[in-house]
Amino acid sequence: TGFRSPSLKELYMYFDHFGEWYVIGNKDLKPESSVYVAASIEYSKPWNNASLTVYRNVLTDMITDRWLPDSVQPTRQYQNIASAHVSGVDLLTRQKILSNLWLSVGYSYVYSHDNQSGEQLYGTTRHSGNASADYFFRKKQYAMTAQLHCRFSGEKFYEKGTEGLENDKPYANLKFTITQGYKWMKITCGVDNLLNTVHPGN
């Protein structure tokens, strides 16, 4: 079980973004409480490790910020959601492909639901994951590690202005890193966003 009192920011904040939009607190906020249940299973060998976790989190008076529909200037205010729940599945696996090559894969499915509005909680992504290939090499006092990492994010829901729920399109980000070390010296270099992916929300 969980319990969280509203922070000073959530209670009394007044933020003015150059007069374009505002974020304000709410002194009438109630504490947030939750009940979390999870079950997991794991398989472990020297060359392979895998785990599966299933969970459900039921929240009462969840604290979040929302656009005020009748405000003169666009304004977000911290509010309580009477009831919400988040359910999901996490799958992780790491396997040895060759003597020095490992492959890791992770996947998450999240189903979030605002029981009051019937909509998905904004800022959440139902499908996300990552995958990486790691190559290790060592000879005497020299060591080298090379990693190719991919992060995937599915459609994300969020509030945009007072127009209700919008969504970002799925996207993936690729990163390559290589680390070399000899005795006491270590050099790391790499390329982030290898495919020059532009986030759909930008």
Side-chain angles (χ1 to χ4, degrees):
T1 60
F3 177 87
R4 184 174 77 86
S5 296
S7 66
L8 291 175
K9 169 185 172 182
E10 293 163 339
L11 289 170
Y12 304 112
M13 181 179 187
Y14 183 86
F15 175 74
D16 178 357
H17 185 71
F18 305 108
E20 297 179 7
W21 49 271
Y22 301 86
V23 180
I24 61 175
N26 183 355
K27 64 180 181 180
D28 296 322
L29 284 176
K30 301 176 183 177
E32 175 183 298
S33 60
S34 61
V35 178
Y36 177 84
V37 179
S40 63
I41 185 171
E42 183 175 3
Y43 173 82
S44 182
K45 292 289 184 180
W47 61 89
N48 185 15
N49 180 272
S51 66
L52 176 68
T53 302
V54 180
Y55 63 89
R56 181 177 176 85
N57 193 14
V58 180
L59 302 107
T60 303
D61 294 322
M62 177 182 173
I63 300 173
T64 186
D65 54 307
R66 291 283 174 87
W67 291 105
L68 295 179
D70 300 325
S71 57
V72 178
Q73 294 290 339
T75 303
R76 297 186 71 88
Q77 183 183 42
Y78 289 98
Q79 300 175 11
N80 288 110
I81 295 178
S83 177
H85 71 265
V86 179
S87 304
V89 177
D90 292 330
L91 174 64
L92 298 172
T93 180
R94 177 176 170 83
Q95 183 159 353
K96 189 175 183 180
I97 306 300
L98 300 172
S99 59
N100 295 332
L101 180 63
W102 288 80
L103 180 65
S104 303
V105 177
Y107 168 75
S108 295
Y109 173 80
V110 178
Y111 177 79
S112 62
H113 187 74
D114 182 341
N115 297 335
Q116 185 175 352
S117 66
E119 297 177 334
Q120 181 173 333
L121 296 176
Y122 76 91
T124 61
T125 302
R126 287 195 180 179
H127 304 277
S128 63
N130 61 81
S132 66
D134 299 85
Y135 178 78
F136 304 95
F137 175 80
R138 177 180 291 274
K139 187 173 183 180
K140 296 183 179 180
Q141 299 187 65
Y142 171 80
M144 187 269 288
T145 302
Q147 182 188 72
L148 183 64
H149 182 268
C150 178
R151 181 172 60 89
F152 167 78
S153 178
E155 189 178 37
K156 177 179 286 188
F157 294 84
Y158 63 97
E159 277 191 328
K160 186 175 182 180
T162 57
E163 302 171 2
L165 287 175
E166 301 288 335
N167 64 286
D168 282 345
K169 296 179 180 179
Y171 73 97
N173 184 285
L174 203 61
K175 179 181 180 180
F176 177 74
T177 306
I178 184 169
T179 301
Q180 300 183 77
Y182 181 74
K183 293 184 178 180
W184 51 267
M185 182 174 61
K186 181 181 290 187
I187 298 176
T188 300
C189 60
V191 179
D192 199 359
N193 196 9
L194 195 60
L195 301 178
N196 196 29
T197 303
V198 178
H199 190 280
N202 295 334

mmCIF file with all atom_site columns, all heavy atoms in Angstrom, residues 129-144:
data_model
loop_
_atom_site.group_PDB
_atom_site.id
_atom_site.type_symbol
_atom_site.label_atom_id
_atom_site.label_alt_id
_atom_site.label_comp_id
_atom_site.label_asym_id
_atom_site.label_entity_id
_atom_site.label_seq_id
_atom_site.pdbx_PDB_ins_code
_atom_site.Cartn_x
_atom_site.Cartn_y
_atom_site.Cartn_z
_atom_site.occupancy
_atom_site.B_iso_or_equiv
_atom_site.pdbx_formal_charge
_atom_site.auth_seq_id
_atom_site.auth_comp_id
_atom_site.auth_asym_id
_atom_site.auth_atom_id
_atom_site.pdbx_PDB_model_num
ATOM 1   N N   . GLY A 1 129 ? 9.965  -0.201  -25.202 1.00 0.00 ? 129 GLY A N   1
ATOM 2   C CA  . GLY A 1 129 ? 10.952 -1.260  -25.034 1.00 0.00 ? 129 GLY A CA  1
ATOM 3   C C   . GLY A 1 129 ? 12.331 -0.797  -25.420 1.00 0.00 ? 129 GLY A C   1
ATOM 4   O O   . GLY A 1 129 ? 12.543 0.341   -25.861 1.00 0.00 ? 129 GLY A O   1
ATOM 5   N N   . ASN A 1 130 ? 13.278 -1.684  -25.251 1.00 0.00 ? 130 ASN A N   1
ATOM 6   C CA  . ASN A 1 130 ? 14.655 -1.404  -25.643 1.00 0.00 ? 130 ASN A CA  1
ATOM 7   C C   . ASN A 1 130 ? 15.349 -2.718  -25.987 1.00 0.00 ? 130 ASN A C   1
ATOM 8   O O   . ASN A 1 130 ? 14.954 -3.789  -25.533 1.00 0.00 ? 130 ASN A O   1
ATOM 9   C CB  . ASN A 1 130 ? 15.405 -0.664  -24.528 1.00 0.00 ? 130 ASN A CB  1
ATOM 10  C CG  . ASN A 1 130 ? 15.467 -1.472  -23.252 1.00 0.00 ? 130 ASN A CG  1
ATOM 11  O OD1 . ASN A 1 130 ? 16.307 -2.360  -23.109 1.00 0.00 ? 130 ASN A OD1 1
ATOM 12  N ND2 . ASN A 1 130 ? 14.569 -1.187  -22.315 1.00 0.00 ? 130 ASN A ND2 1
ATOM 13  N N   . ALA A 1 131 ? 16.380 -2.603  -26.795 1.00 0.00 ? 131 ALA A N   1
ATOM 14  C CA  . ALA A 1 131 ? 17.178 -3.764  -27.183 1.00 0.00 ? 131 ALA A CA  1
ATOM 15  C C   . ALA A 1 131 ? 18.617 -3.309  -27.347 1.00 0.00 ? 131 ALA A C   1
ATOM 16  O O   . ALA A 1 131 ? 18.879 -2.186  -27.791 1.00 0.00 ? 131 ALA A O   1
ATOM 17  C CB  . ALA A 1 131 ? 16.652 -4.383  -28.474 1.00 0.00 ? 131 ALA A CB  1
ATOM 18  N N   . SER A 1 132 ? 19.549 -4.159  -26.973 1.00 0.00 ? 132 SER A N   1
ATOM 19  C CA  . SER A 1 132 ? 20.957 -3.809  -27.124 1.00 0.00 ? 132 SER A CA  1
ATOM 20  C C   . SER A 1 132 ? 21.778 -5.052  -27.435 1.00 0.00 ? 132 SER A C   1
ATOM 21  O O   . SER A 1 132 ? 21.473 -6.154  -26.963 1.00 0.00 ? 132 SER A O   1
ATOM 22  C CB  . SER A 1 132 ? 21.494 -3.117  -25.866 1.00 0.00 ? 132 SER A CB  1
ATOM 23  O OG  . SER A 1 132 ? 21.511 -4.010  -24.774 1.00 0.00 ? 132 SER A OG  1
ATOM 24  N N   . ALA A 1 133 ? 22.807 -4.848  -28.244 1.00 0.00 ? 133 ALA A N   1
ATOM 25  C CA  . ALA A 1 133 ? 23.797 -5.885  -28.531 1.00 0.00 ? 133 ALA A CA  1
ATOM 26  C C   . ALA A 1 133 ? 25.121 -5.414  -27.948 1.00 0.00 ? 133 ALA A C   1
ATOM 27  O O   . ALA A 1 133 ? 25.587 -4.304  -28.254 1.00 0.00 ? 133 ALA A O   1
ATOM 28  C CB  . ALA A 1 133 ? 23.911 -6.119  -30.028 1.00 0.00 ? 133 ALA A CB  1
ATOM 29  N N   . ASP A 1 134 ? 25.716 -6.218  -27.075 1.00 0.00 ? 134 ASP A N   1
ATOM 30  C CA  . ASP A 1 134 ? 26.946 -5.854  -26.383 1.00 0.00 ? 134 ASP A CA  1
ATOM 31  C C   . ASP A 1 134 ? 28.057 -6.836  -26.752 1.00 0.00 ? 134 ASP A C   1
ATOM 32  O O   . ASP A 1 134 ? 27.889 -8.060  -26.603 1.00 0.00 ? 134 ASP A O   1
ATOM 33  C CB  . ASP A 1 134 ? 26.740 -5.864  -24.871 1.00 0.00 ? 134 ASP A CB  1
ATOM 34  C CG  . ASP A 1 134 ? 25.678 -4.876  -24.428 1.00 0.00 ? 134 ASP A CG  1
ATOM 35  O OD1 . ASP A 1 134 ? 24.486 -5.240  -24.449 1.00 0.00 ? 134 ASP A OD1 1
ATOM 36  O OD2 . ASP A 1 134 ? 26.041 -3.762  -24.061 1.00 0.00 ? 134 ASP A OD2 1
ATOM 37  N N   . TYR A 1 135 ? 29.180 -6.288  -27.215 1.00 0.00 ? 135 TYR A N   1
ATOM 38  C CA  . TYR A 1 135 ? 30.328 -7.119  -27.579 1.00 0.00 ? 135 TYR A CA  1
ATOM 39  C C   . TYR A 1 135 ? 31.478 -6.787  -26.637 1.00 0.00 ? 135 TYR A C   1
ATOM 40  O O   . TYR A 1 135 ? 31.845 -5.621  -26.458 1.00 0.00 ? 135 TYR A O   1
ATOM 41  C CB  . TYR A 1 135 ? 30.744 -6.856  -29.028 1.00 0.00 ? 135 TYR A CB  1
ATOM 42  C CG  . TYR A 1 135 ? 31.958 -7.660  -29.448 1.00 0.00 ? 135 TYR A CG  1
ATOM 43  C CD1 . TYR A 1 135 ? 31.847 -9.005  -29.768 1.00 0.00 ? 135 TYR A CD1 1
ATOM 44  C CD2 . TYR A 1 135 ? 33.222 -7.060  -29.499 1.00 0.00 ? 135 TYR A CD2 1
ATOM 45  C CE1 . TYR A 1 135 ? 32.967 -9.749  -30.144 1.00 0.00 ? 135 TYR A CE1 1
ATOM 46  C CE2 . TYR A 1 135 ? 34.343 -7.791  -29.869 1.00 0.00 ? 135 TYR A CE2 1
ATOM 47  C CZ  . TYR A 1 135 ? 34.204 -9.135  -30.188 1.00 0.00 ? 135 TYR A CZ  1
ATOM 48  O OH  . TYR A 1 135 ? 35.303 -9.856  -30.538 1.00 0.00 ? 135 TYR A OH  1
ATOM 49  N N   . PHE A 1 136 ? 32.070 -7.841  -26.025 1.00 0.00 ? 136 PHE A N   1
ATOM 50  C CA  . PHE A 1 136 ? 33.163 -7.669  -25.068 1.00 0.00 ? 136 PHE A CA  1
ATOM 51  C C   . PHE A 1 136 ? 34.427 -8.350  -25.616 1.00 0.00 ? 136 PHE A C   1
ATOM 52  O O   . PHE A 1 136 ? 34.360 -9.459  -26.142 1.00 0.00 ? 136 PHE A O   1
ATOM 53  C CB  . PHE A 1 136 ? 32.811 -8.295  -23.714 1.00 0.00 ? 136 PHE A CB  1
ATOM 54  C CG  . PHE A 1 136 ? 31.539 -7.767  -23.107 1.00 0.00 ? 136 PHE A CG  1
ATOM 55  C CD1 . PHE A 1 136 ? 30.344 -8.428  -23.304 1.00 0.00 ? 136 PHE A CD1 1
ATOM 56  C CD2 . PHE A 1 136 ? 31.551 -6.611  -22.344 1.00 0.00 ? 136 PHE A CD2 1
ATOM 57  C CE1 . PHE A 1 136 ? 29.173 -7.963  -22.754 1.00 0.00 ? 136 PHE A CE1 1
ATOM 58  C CE2 . PHE A 1 136 ? 30.382 -6.126  -21.794 1.00 0.00 ? 136 PHE A CE2 1
ATOM 59  C CZ  . PHE A 1 136 ? 29.197 -6.798  -21.997 1.00 0.00 ? 136 PHE A CZ  1
ATOM 60  N N   . PHE A 1 137 ? 35.553 -7.650  -25.469 1.00 0.00 ? 137 PHE A N   1
ATOM 61  C CA  . PHE A 1 137 ? 36.833 -8.218  -25.895 1.00 0.00 ? 137 PHE A CA  1
ATOM 62  C C   . PHE A 1 137 ? 37.901 -7.832  -24.877 1.00 0.00 ? 137 PHE A C   1
ATOM 63  O O   . PHE A 1 137 ? 37.977 -6.685  -24.447 1.00 0.00 ? 137 PHE A O   1
ATOM 64  C CB  . PHE A 1 137 ? 37.235 -7.699  -27.280 1.00 0.00 ? 137 PHE A CB  1
ATOM 65  C CG  . PHE A 1 137 ? 38.597 -8.159  -27.712 1.00 0.00 ? 137 PHE A CG  1
ATOM 66  C CD1 . PHE A 1 137 ? 38.778 -9.427  -28.234 1.00 0.00 ? 137 PHE A CD1 1
ATOM 67  C CD2 . PHE A 1 137 ? 39.701 -7.322  -27.587 1.00 0.00 ? 137 PHE A CD2 1
ATOM 68  C CE1 . PHE A 1 137 ? 40.045 -9.859  -28.627 1.00 0.00 ? 137 PHE A CE1 1
ATOM 69  C CE2 . PHE A 1 137 ? 40.963 -7.740  -27.977 1.00 0.00 ? 137 PHE A CE2 1
ATOM 70  C CZ  . PHE A 1 137 ? 41.141 -9.020  -28.504 1.00 0.00 ? 137 PHE A CZ  1
ATOM 71  N N   . ARG A 1 138 ? 38.720 -8.815  -24.479 1.00 0.00 ? 138 ARG A N   1
ATOM 72  C CA  . ARG A 1 138 ? 39.801 -8.549  -23.527 1.00 0.00 ? 138 ARG A CA  1
ATOM 73  C C   . ARG A 1 138 ? 41.032 -9.366  -23.918 1.00 0.00 ? 138 ARG A C   1
ATOM 74  O O   . ARG A 1 138 ? 40.924 -10.553 -24.232 1.00 0.00 ? 138 ARG A O   1
ATOM 75  C CB  . ARG A 1 138 ? 39.378 -8.896  -22.103 1.00 0.00 ? 138 ARG A CB  1
ATOM 76  C CG  . ARG A 1 138 ? 40.484 -8.707  -21.061 1.00 0.00 ? 138 ARG A CG  1
ATOM 77  C CD  . ARG A 1 138 ? 40.010 -9.066  -19.678 1.00 0.00 ? 138 ARG A CD  1
ATOM 78  N NE  . ARG A 1 138 ? 39.036 -8.127  -19.192 1.00 0.00 ? 138 ARG A NE  1
ATOM 79  C CZ  . ARG A 1 138 ? 39.344 -6.986  -18.564 1.00 0.00 ? 138 ARG A CZ  1
ATOM 80  N NH1 . ARG A 1 138 ? 40.619 -6.658  -18.363 1.00 0.00 ? 138 ARG A NH1 1
ATOM 81  N NH2 . ARG A 1 138 ? 38.400 -6.191  -18.140 1.00 0.00 ? 138 ARG A NH2 1
ATOM 82  N N   . LYS A 1 139 ? 42.181 -8.702  -23.891 1.00 0.00 ? 139 LYS A N   1
ATOM 83  C CA  . LYS A 1 139 ? 43.447 -9.373  -24.130 1.00 0.00 ? 139 LYS A CA  1
ATOM 84  C C   . LYS A 1 139 ? 44.505 -8.730  -23.262 1.00 0.00 ? 139 LYS A C   1
ATOM 85  O O   . LYS A 1 139 ? 44.829 -7.554  -23.431 1.00 0.00 ? 139 LYS A O   1
ATOM 86  C CB  . LYS A 1 139 ? 43.844 -9.298  -25.598 1.00 0.00 ? 139 LYS A CB  1
ATOM 87  C CG  . LYS A 1 139 ? 45.075 -10.124 -25.931 1.00 0.00 ? 139 LYS A CG  1
ATOM 88  C CD  . LYS A 1 139 ? 45.348 -10.154 -27.429 1.00 0.00 ? 139 LYS A CD  1
ATOM 89  C CE  . LYS A 1 139 ? 46.544 -11.045 -27.738 1.00 0.00 ? 139 LYS A CE  1
ATOM 90  N NZ  . LYS A 1 139 ? 46.822 -11.082 -29.202 1.00 0.00 ? 139 LYS A NZ  1
ATOM 91  N N   . LYS A 1 140 ? 44.986 -9.511  -22.311 1.00 0.00 ? 140 LYS A N   1
ATOM 92  C CA  . LYS A 1 140 ? 45.951 -9.025  -21.329 1.00 0.00 ? 140 LYS A CA  1
ATOM 93  C C   . LYS A 1 140 ? 45.404 -7.782  -20.623 1.00 0.00 ? 140 LYS A C   1
ATOM 94  O O   . LYS A 1 140 ? 44.373 -7.824  -19.997 1.00 0.00 ? 140 LYS A O   1
ATOM 95  C CB  . LYS A 1 140 ? 47.303 -8.769  -21.983 1.00 0.00 ? 140 LYS A CB  1
ATOM 96  C CG  . LYS A 1 140 ? 47.952 -10.039 -22.529 1.00 0.00 ? 140 LYS A CG  1
ATOM 97  C CD  . LYS A 1 140 ? 49.307 -9.763  -23.110 1.00 0.00 ? 140 LYS A CD  1
ATOM 98  C CE  . LYS A 1 140 ? 49.945 -11.055 -23.619 1.00 0.00 ? 140 LYS A CE  1
ATOM 99  N NZ  . LYS A 1 140 ? 51.289 -10.834 -24.213 1.00 0.00 ? 140 LYS A NZ  1
ATOM 100 N N   . GLN A 1 141 ? 46.053 -6.625  -20.786 1.00 0.00 ? 141 GLN A N   1
ATOM 101 C CA  . GLN A 1 141 ? 45.628 -5.428  -20.076 1.00 0.00 ? 141 GLN A CA  1
ATOM 102 C C   . GLN A 1 141 ? 44.740 -4.507  -20.927 1.00 0.00 ? 141 GLN A C   1
ATOM 103 O O   . GLN A 1 141 ? 44.411 -3.406  -20.500 1.00 0.00 ? 141 GLN A O   1
ATOM 104 C CB  . GLN A 1 141 ? 46.848 -4.643  -19.577 1.00 0.00 ? 141 GLN A CB  1
ATOM 105 C CG  . GLN A 1 141 ? 47.711 -5.432  -18.597 1.00 0.00 ? 141 GLN A CG  1
ATOM 106 C CD  . GLN A 1 141 ? 48.802 -4.595  -17.984 1.00 0.00 ? 141 GLN A CD  1
ATOM 107 O OE1 . GLN A 1 141 ? 48.527 -3.639  -17.252 1.00 0.00 ? 141 GLN A OE1 1
ATOM 108 N NE2 . GLN A 1 141 ? 50.052 -4.935  -18.279 1.00 0.00 ? 141 GLN A NE2 1
ATOM 109 N N   . TYR A 1 142 ? 44.367 -4.985  -22.093 1.00 0.00 ? 142 TYR A N   1
ATOM 110 C CA  . TYR A 1 142 ? 43.496 -4.198  -22.973 1.00 0.00 ? 142 TYR A CA  1
ATOM 111 C C   . TYR A 1 142 ? 42.078 -4.767  -22.934 1.00 0.00 ? 142 TYR A C   1
ATOM 112 O O   . TYR A 1 142 ? 41.878 -5.990  -22.976 1.00 0.00 ? 142 TYR A O   1
ATOM 113 C CB  . TYR A 1 142 ? 44.016 -4.209  -24.413 1.00 0.00 ? 142 TYR A CB  1
ATOM 114 C CG  . TYR A 1 142 ? 43.051 -3.590  -25.403 1.00 0.00 ? 142 TYR A CG  1
ATOM 115 C CD1 . TYR A 1 142 ? 42.961 -2.210  -25.539 1.00 0.00 ? 142 TYR A CD1 1
ATOM 116 C CD2 . TYR A 1 142 ? 42.225 -4.401  -26.192 1.00 0.00 ? 142 TYR A CD2 1
ATOM 117 C CE1 . TYR A 1 142 ? 42.083 -1.634  -26.449 1.00 0.00 ? 142 TYR A CE1 1
ATOM 118 C CE2 . TYR A 1 142 ? 41.342 -3.830  -27.104 1.00 0.00 ? 142 TYR A CE2 1
ATOM 119 C CZ  . TYR A 1 142 ? 41.274 -2.457  -27.221 1.00 0.00 ? 142 TYR A CZ  1
ATOM 120 O OH  . TYR A 1 142 ? 40.394 -1.892  -28.108 1.00 0.00 ? 142 TYR A OH  1
ATOM 121 N N   . ALA A 1 143 ? 41.080 -3.883  -22.851 1.00 0.00 ? 143 ALA A N   1
ATOM 122 C CA  . ALA A 1 143 ? 39.680 -4.309  -22.842 1.00 0.00 ? 143 ALA A CA  1
ATOM 123 C C   . ALA A 1 143 ? 38.865 -3.368  -23.718 1.00 0.00 ? 143 ALA A C   1
ATOM 124 O O   . ALA A 1 143 ? 39.120 -2.160  -23.772 1.00 0.00 ? 143 ALA A O   1
ATOM 125 C CB  . ALA A 1 143 ? 39.128 -4.318  -21.424 1.00 0.00 ? 143 ALA A CB  1
ATOM 126 N N   . MET A 1 144 ? 37.879 -3.939  -24.408 1.00 0.00 ? 144 MET A N   1
ATOM 127 C CA  . MET A 1 144 ? 37.037 -3.145  -25.286 1.00 0.00 ? 144 MET A CA  1
ATOM 128 C C   . MET A 1 144 ? 35.591 -3.622  -25.168 1.00 0.00 ? 144 MET A C   1
ATOM 129 O O   . MET A 1 144 ? 35.316 -4.812  -25.131 1.00 0.00 ? 144 MET A O   1
ATOM 130 C CB  . MET A 1 144 ? 37.508 -3.260  -26.735 1.00 0.00 ? 144 MET A CB  1
ATOM 131 C CG  . MET A 1 144 ? 36.773 -2.322  -27.704 1.00 0.00 ? 144 MET A CG  1
ATOM 132 S SD  . MET A 1 144 ? 35.320 -3.092  -28.456 1.00 0.00 ? 144 MET A SD  1
ATOM 133 C CE  . MET A 1 144 ? 36.078 -4.256  -29.578 1.00 0.00 ? 144 MET A CE  1
#
